[in-house]
Amino acid sequence: MRLAFNHGDPAGPLRHSTQTALAPWVIPDDLDDAMVVVSELVQNVTQHTAGGGELVVTVEPGAVIIEVRDYSPVLPKVQPPDAQRLGGRGLLLVAGVTRAWGAAPTAQGKVVWARLATADIRSDSVT
């Protein structure tokens, strides 16, 4: 699944589309984790970059891969928890619910990706 979004767009419609696409493939607990990751990665783009981006979700046996591409070359940094700051914990949440995550520069900006371990419901692959 590939969905484009613009700067300032809410993550809700992207979460809904992702939930609809993943529901036949993953169990509810894994779906909840995927929704956290989509929310956090998309909100990072819509709040911290000037342009939009693209959400790409792929299902493989035993895993869901979520990628968010944007046009900013600035790679995200995990911030330590700070009781004085309202936000800034999104990447800590992503790290907590995923098997692995990372960011890499691209020719147009960057991609931030996360790999979630899932219980197998179906072994087919969907993109």
Side-chain angles (χ1 to χ4, degrees), residues 29-77:
D29 285 346
D30 295 338
L31 187 56
D32 290 345
D33 290 345
M35 295 302 96
V36 168
V37 173
V38 168
S39 293
E40 296 303 331
L41 297 185
V42 168
Q43 286 177 343
N44 279 350
V45 171
T46 62
Q47 292 176 3
H48 301 293
T49 70
E54 180 181 46
L55 169 67
V56 179
V57 179
T58 306
V59 176
E60 296 178 350
V64 170
I65 297 91
I66 298 169
E67 297 177 323
V68 175
R69 302 169 184 277
D70 67 61
Y71 302 103
S72 171
V74 179
L75 297 177
K77 296 178 187 168

